[in-house]
Amino acid sequence: MSFPWARQYEPKNPVSKFFDEKLPLPRLVYNAVGAGYPVPRNLSYFWNFGVLAGFFLVVQIVTGVVLAMHYAGNAQVAFASTEHIMRDVNWGWLMRYAHANGASFFFIVVYLHIFRGLFYSSYKAPREMIWLLGVVIFLLMMATAFMGYVLPWGQMSFWGAKVITGLFGAIPIVGEPIQVWLLGGFAPDNAALNRFFSLHFLLPFVIAGVVILHIWALHIPGSSNPTGVEVKQESDTVPFHPYYTAKDGFGLGIALLAYFALVFFLPNALGHPDNYIEANPLSTPAHIVPEWYFWPFYAILRAFTVDFFFVPAKLMGVIAMFASILLWFFLPWLDKSPVRSGHYRPTFRKFFWFGLIPAMVVLFICGGAPAEEPYVMMSQIATAYYFLHFLVILPIISSSEKTEPLPYSITEAVLGSDKKPVLGENTTPAV
Amino acid sequence: MLKLISVRLVAILVGLGFAVAVLWAFVIGAYNAATEEPAGHLPYEKPMDLSWSFDGPFGKWDQQQLQRGLKVYDEVCAACHSLKFVAFRDLEQLGYTEGQVKAYAAAKQVPGIDPNTGEATTRPGLPTDYFPSPYPNNVAAAAANNNAIPPDLSLMTKARGDGTNYVASLLMGYGPPSAELLEEHPEAAPGPGLHHNPYFPNLNLAMAAPLNAGQVTFDDGTEATVEQMSKDVAAFLTWTAEPTLVKRKQTGWPVMIFLLFATVLAYMSKKQIWAAVKPKK
Amino acid sequence: MADTTATATPDMATSDDGIRRRDFLDIAAVSAAGIGGLAVVYPLVTQMAPSKDVLAASSTEVDVSAIEPGQAIKAVFRKQPLFVKRLTAEEIAAAERDDNAALRDPQTLADRTKEGHGDILVTMGVCTHLGCVPLGAAEGEVKGEYGGYFCPCHGSHYDTAGRIRKGPAPTNLEVPEYEFTSDTVIQVG
């Protein structure tokens, strides 16, 4: 779908005419990210992170394919092959640091993308499917990142693999057989390393597939915007190209500056020193932590320290950790407010800034800290708030709060007034 | 509508369930924290903040220092610690000539195979060989060192937080525990075969103080104090952990400058394009 | 579609100067992106070239003292077989007899050996046709119609000096760069 005033692709020369008839790929691109896609004219820089996430997915695939040309997925030599990449392969150190920090940046931009979705309720109708696919992408990213972290076969790789597969051991009765099946053994070894390598190579392409669906679903209703008011008329939009290609280009420059500053000057700042110690199945590091992007969820996992009636603490933690992400699937139906943007929802805004964000910060800090007081108690309060926010507070305030008046249209929001005569054929029904 | 209400009712119940479960854990944890003595940590010290030639975005190797560090490794550390990811050929980066590297390698015995009998033996090293391990395997290393296997040093400065400072501090930090420490933490007294060091996380490590003043004679005439040797070997181990460190930083600058330039261009281009649709002030 | 642009952007500045400046900036920005993209290609391509350890491992020493006349040994040079053969008097004579024959890749035996060591023939054990390992170095292997080496893949025959005489191979077996570091030891590469 597109708005009636969307520009139409017009092949100008014989070659593009030939393509347009046989394989209208240029037309597809034109309508997807070209001048043929009308986008609200008031998008803020928070709308940059979708394109950036796509960019870092490409960075990860390119550097990852290169690394796979030199890496050996065998427990005997995996660690040494990583060092071979760092020391002997031409530009190998750059490829590896770009890949390791690329994972971090992929998560940074995706977290900002999710943050924007939560604040502006981008998950609301008619964009539920975009949101659902986004959550699927996030879950796939987590699985891919986890398996990738295992590959260098350092101490954190090994013990991360052991601990995370141990989560499945929490499932009653079938848990342990499942864990052994996942690892292909009783502890992480060659079998586990090899299958993780295989899946780590495969999943990014699955992610790319779901990303295409995500973008497809986006183009049905079109992009949301900071007011949350739907597009009504042509003056509410600008063509994606050149307006948002230019804006995304600038955003990309900023992101790359930060990314390469890390790659070239602090490449190990986001990693853990223990992963430069070769995996040793007989000695656990003093303090096992996952990569930083898992910290909030790791904190939720560890917050459940006592059995709850008949549910053992371990199982409760695992259920809560998975539930903390899976509940995102229900957000479109939990938040009933007719207004999307947090800018016009005073109560929602208060809980968002003074409840959810501090809780996430606390969970992030506690997930990276050792499992001792006061971190455990802090993470327990934050975990309680996290679940209450999404499952209790959001459903209640979304149906009870008094929202602030919305602008009549995007044009009015931008220009201060919207006096244009609204032509019948150029409007879509007001939402 | 009914369905939506039921979705939200279930959500509220589930949310309350999780919250009650985790707050229950909080109550018990808080009660325990209030009634139990917290397990204290032994107070170990953060590494000293030393300055290095390769620090900072413009850092460079001090080849003289790396050569001295190699000598310390060679004459002291190598007795127990391997350096398995470093090849002799890499030493050319320390400023040695091809001939010097060849001679250095040839002076080392590396594992080989007798060409006539096929038996395991040793042969003089080639530049392509890696630093040989002082022990044939981990079992031998453990047996010779009271079950504490001396770790490989190739990546040591990357495998510890603030690694270069840590290695230097540790080597300089040996000494008997202070009386106050022992009074407060009697368990910090070194056990048999252990040695006190304030920079080691549990304050006692199996390695005895390895460096004594004057132990190594530096070719460049530098006086071999414990501090000098500690710093030099820490610098050398920073190089072994990441021989590409300086190249990495030097590659970074043109990339950053180019990106800055391109980003400014992108910004101006974006401004130009948007000028047409921005409301006039 | 000019008219829709005009409606969407009614206040667009269209002075000649503005247009030109804008075009220049866009072109500069896109060019910068292009240069950046090209710069990225360089490490991505060169990472496939031989790594430092592979380049370093490219010399081999062989002791030729134990090779009897008529015998050859196979050594490894750059992960490829290297034939070191001590020629018998008859083989030398046969090779020298053909020095002036019609050869596909004309070379004399003297060209292919070191002075003072005319009986030591060092060649790569790699057929110049498509890279198979020719027979003839080991005891009892077929030596081909010219008594040197014979490649079974596509039937190239090499003579006692390792010169191509018959079959599809375009050139003689390659003589790598080597030197005698002592009377009995050669260093290849």
Side-chain angles (χ1 to χ4, degrees):
Chain A
M1 187 219 95
S2 190
F3 300 109
W5 57 86
R7 294 189 204 173
Q8 291 304 309
Y9 177 68
E10 280 167 33
K12 289 194 179 64
N13 54 54
V15 176
S16 53
K17 275 196 184 102
F18 176 83
F19 264 97
D20 199 45
E21 275 171 32
K22 314 295 172 191
L23 181 72
L25 194 62
R27 179 180 292 273
L28 183 79
V29 172
Y30 184 90
N31 290 334
V33 291
Y37 177 41
V39 185
R41 62 192 287 182
N42 61 337
L43 301 189
S44 71
Y45 278 104
F46 268 115
W47 268 257
N48 277 45
F49 296 108
V51 165
L52 287 178
F55 176 82
F56 278 105
L57 175 63
V58 173
V59 168
Q60 289 306 85
I61 289 179
V62 170
T63 53
V65 167
V66 163
L67 289 169
M69 294 181 189
H70 303 282
Y71 170 80
N74 180 302
Q76 295 292 317
V77 294
F79 190 82
S81 75
T82 309
E83 278 310 305
H84 163 68
I85 291 170
M86 293 296 290
R87 287 156 195 272
D88 288 332
V89 172
N90 301 308
W91 300 101
W93 56 271
L94 178 57
M95 297 299 149
R96 173 152 182 265
Y97 281 150
H99 196 67
N101 288 292
S104 282
F105 265 76
F106 196 7
F107 273 97
I108 289 172
V109 296
V110 163
Y111 278 135
L112 289 166
H113 194 55
I114 294 172
F115 167 88
R116 191 266 293 161
L118 289 175
F119 183 76
Y120 293 100
S121 313
S122 303
Y123 45 77
K124 277 183 196 289
R127 298 184 180 81
E128 306 98 314
M129 184 53 76
I130 312 172
W131 173 259
L132 298 182
L133 289 166
V135 179
V136 170
I137 293 171
F138 181 62
L139 289 170
L140 286 169
M141 275 176 69
M142 291 178 93
T144 310
F146 157 66
M147 288 189 278
Y149 195 53
V150 174
L151 301 185
W153 210 239
Q155 273 288 65
M156 282 295 169
S157 302
F158 180 90
W159 292 98
K162 189 149 188 173
V163 167
I164 299 299
T165 53
L167 298 181
F168 292 89
I171 304 168
I173 306 166
V174 293
E176 236 179 82
I178 287 181
Q179 187 187 348
V180 170
W181 172 78
L182 279 172
L183 288 174
F186 303 99
D189 200 0
N190 235 347
L193 179 61
N194 246 316
R195 67 192 58 177
F196 284 3
F197 184 30
S198 169
L199 292 173
H200 182 72
F201 203 110
L202 169 72
L203 285 185
F205 297 97
V206 178
I207 292 177
V210 184
V211 165
I212 289 172
L213 299 183
H214 188 68
I215 297 172
W216 186 6
L218 170 70
H219 282 71
I220 307 296
S223 301
S224 74
N225 69 84
T227 63
V229 176
E230 286 293 332
V231 169
K232 289 188 171 70
Q233 59 208 347
E234 187 172 1
S235 66
D236 289 347
T237 66
V238 289
F240 189 89
H241 179 75
Y243 292 96
Y244 286 106
T245 41
K247 193 167 180 176
D248 284 333
F250 170 55
L252 179 64
I254 298 287
L256 284 179
L257 275 169
Y259 170 60
F260 280 115
L262 219 56
V263 166
F264 284 112
F265 299 106
L266 291 165
N268 294 306
L270 298 175
H272 197 290
D274 279 7
N275 225 27
Y276 282 108
I277 305 171
E278 193 165 359
N280 180 355
L282 303 181
S283 148
T284 311
H287 170 204
I288 302 185
V289 281
E291 287 280 79
W292 69 266
Y293 34 79
F294 293 139
W295 286 355
F297 307 101
Y298 194 56
I300 291 175
L301 172 78
R302 293 193 305 187
F304 291 82
T305 49
V306 296
D307 297 351
F308 188 63
F309 296 110
F310 53 91
V311 189
K314 181 180 176 186
L315 179 59
M316 197 64 209
V318 173
I319 292 174
M321 186 183 72
F322 283 108
S324 68
I325 300 167
L326 294 180
L327 66 82
W328 291 354
F329 279 119
F330 298 94
L331 275 190
W333 298 278
L334 294 178
D335 181 352
K336 245 188 70 106
S337 174
V339 173
R340 290 198 185 88
S341 168
H343 288 311
Y344 305 98
R345 300 171 65 185
T347 322
F348 167 88
R349 201 160 62 215
K350 276 189 200 99
F351 279 102
F352 188 88
W353 286 118
F354 301 112
L356 184 63
I357 296 301
M360 290 307 294
V361 170
V362 168
L363 286 174
F364 176 78
I365 293 168
C366 294
E372 54 190 40
E373 301 303 352
Y375 301 113
V376 176
M377 280 156 69
M378 282 161 61
S379 69
Q380 286 163 338
I381 300 285
T383 302
Y385 183 80
Y386 180 91
F387 283 104
L388 289 175
H389 180 91
F390 284 113
L391 296 175
V392 179
I393 296 171
L394 198 58
I396 291 174
I397 60 165
S398 65
S399 52
S400 67
E401 84 175 306
K402 188 171 167 2
T403 55
E404 289 161 359
L406 291 171
Y408 163 71
S409 69
I410 293 170
T411 308
E412 187 190 284
V414 175
L415 300 178
S417 65
D418 182 3
K419 297 203 184 77
K420 284 206 176 56
V422 178
L423 297 172
E425 75 236 38
N426 270 8
T427 53
T428 49
V431 177
Chain B
M1 201 59 211
L2 194 73
K3 204 173 129 232
L4 283 188
I5 288 170
S6 64
V7 165
R8 293 195 295 150
L9 265 182
V10 170
I12 289 171
L13 290 177
V14 169
L16 288 174
F18 276 116
V20 168
V22 75
L23 289 174
W24 175 238
F26 172 79
V27 168
I28 291 183
Y31 175 78
N32 287 344
T35 53
E36 282 169 19
E37 194 69 16
H41 288 290
L42 288 173
Y44 67 94
E45 284 177 39
K46 288 227 158 357
M48 287 181 266
D49 196 10
L50 305 166
S51 81
W52 304 95
S53 67
F54 42 82
D55 274 346
F58 300 102
K60 283 207 169 65
W61 299 120
D62 173 352
Q63 285 199 336
Q64 286 299 313
Q65 184 177 40
L66 298 188
Q67 293 193 359
R68 290 195 301 269
L70 168 65
K71 197 153 192 197
V72 176
Y73 168 77
D74 216 15
E75 296 182 9
V76 185
C77 318
C80 303
H81 292 279
S82 56
L83 199 62
K84 63 180 176 183
F85 293 119
V86 182
F88 295 125
R89 62 184 153 85
D90 296 331
L91 295 177
E92 280 187 42
Q93 296 170 38
L94 302 192
Y96 293 111
T97 63
E98 201 183 328
Q100 282 173 313
V101 169
K102 231 175 179 168
Y104 182 90
K108 304 277 179 207
Q109 289 291 315
V110 300
I113 290 170
D114 187 308
N116 299 316
T117 63
E119 273 172 38
T121 172
T122 59
R123 60 172 173 80
L126 294 169
T128 45
D129 289 316
Y130 287 76
F131 274 79
S133 170
Y135 304 104
N137 51 54
N138 273 351
V139 180
N145 291 283
N146 203 9
N147 276 331
I149 300 173
D152 183 80
L153 293 184
S154 319
L155 285 161
M156 187 50 75
T157 57
K158 270 163 105 181
R160 298 288 183 277
D162 197 9
T164 310
N165 284 330
Y166 170 80
V167 168
S169 302
L170 188 87
L171 289 173
M172 286 189 254
Y174 281 93
S178 69
E180 302 95 76
L181 176 75
L182 288 181
E183 199 175 309
E184 215 173 308
H185 298 278
E187 73 275 22
L194 296 178
H195 308 273
H196 180 78
N197 193 315
Y199 298 101
F200 194 68
N202 70 12
L203 299 181
N204 291 292
L205 76 166
M207 177 170 76
L211 298 172
N212 301 302
Q215 194 171 0
V216 173
T217 311
F218 288 130
D219 303 333
D220 60 1
T222 308
E223 197 192 339
T225 60
V226 170
E227 186 186 341
Q228 186 68 44
M229 290 187 286
S230 302
K231 285 182 180 170
D232 290 347
V233 82
F236 172 68
L237 292 179
T238 308
W239 172 78
T240 63
E242 188 163 5
T244 52
L245 183 145
V246 168
K247 187 185 183 194
R248 161 161 68 74
K249 291 175 178 178
Q250 287 174 347
T251 315
W253 279 111
V255 174
M256 296 303 286
I257 290 165
F258 171 78
L259 271 176
L260 198 64
F261 166 76
T263 305
V264 168
L265 267 186
Y267 177 72
M268 294 191 325
S269 168
K270 181 245 159 193
K271 257 190 96 160
Q272 277 293 328
I273 288 169
W274 277 84
V277 293
K278 282 279 168 187
K280 290 267 184 319
K281 295 255 159 63
Chain C
M1 292 181 139
D3 55 340
T4 44
T5 317
T7 3
T9 60
D11 42 2
M12 182 193 262
T14 48
S15 75
D16 284 352
D17 213 36
I19 294 276
R20 239 181 281 140
R21 188 175 133 101
R22 172 180 154 172
D23 287 352
F24 169 74
L25 270 173
D26 292 354
I27 290 165
V30 171
S31 314
I35 291 167
L38 280 178
V40 168
V41 170
Y42 176 70
L44 289 177
V45 169
T46 50
Q47 55 88 14
M48 299 221 310
S51 58
K52 284 197 200 106
D53 53 329
V54 172
L55 292 175
S58 53
S59 83
T60 303
E61 283 193 352
V62 184
D63 185 348
V64 299
S65 61
I67 307 172
E68 297 292 327
Q71 260 189 352
I73 61 168
K74 286 185 192 176
V76 179
F77 173 59
R78 288 183 178 161
K79 303 269 168 191
Q80 299 184 92
L82 177 79
F83 293 162
V84 184
K85 192 174 194 176
R86 191 183 289 277
L87 303 173
T88 61
E90 298 87 67
E91 284 171 333
I92 294 173
E96 281 173 346
R97 196 166 51 238
D98 289 347
D99 273 353
N100 298 315
L103 295 170
R104 183 174 301 165
D105 180 9
Q107 265 185 322
T108 64
L109 179 65
D111 292 339
R112 296 172 59 76
T113 53
K114 297 279 175 199
E115 213 177 317
H117 299 278
D119 57 340
I120 298 290
L121 178 68
V122 181
T123 60
M124 296 303 299
V126 181
C127 180
T128 55
H129 179 219
L130 290 168
C132 294
V133 179
L135 300 173
E139 211 70 46
E141 282 181 358
V142 185
K143 293 187 179 221
E145 290 176 22
Y146 292 84
Y149 299 104
F150 168 66
C151 183
C153 286
H154 306 94
S156 292
H157 297 257
Y158 297 92
D159 68 11
T160 52
R163 292 175 298 207
I164 181 65
R165 300 303 290 272
K166 184 178 172 189
T171 56
N172 302 336
L173 286 180
E174 187 197 341
V175 177
E177 267 184 40
Y178 71 96
E179 58 185 16
F180 278 85
T181 52
S182 76
D183 264 358
T184 56
V185 178
I186 59 168
Q187 187 186 339
V188 188

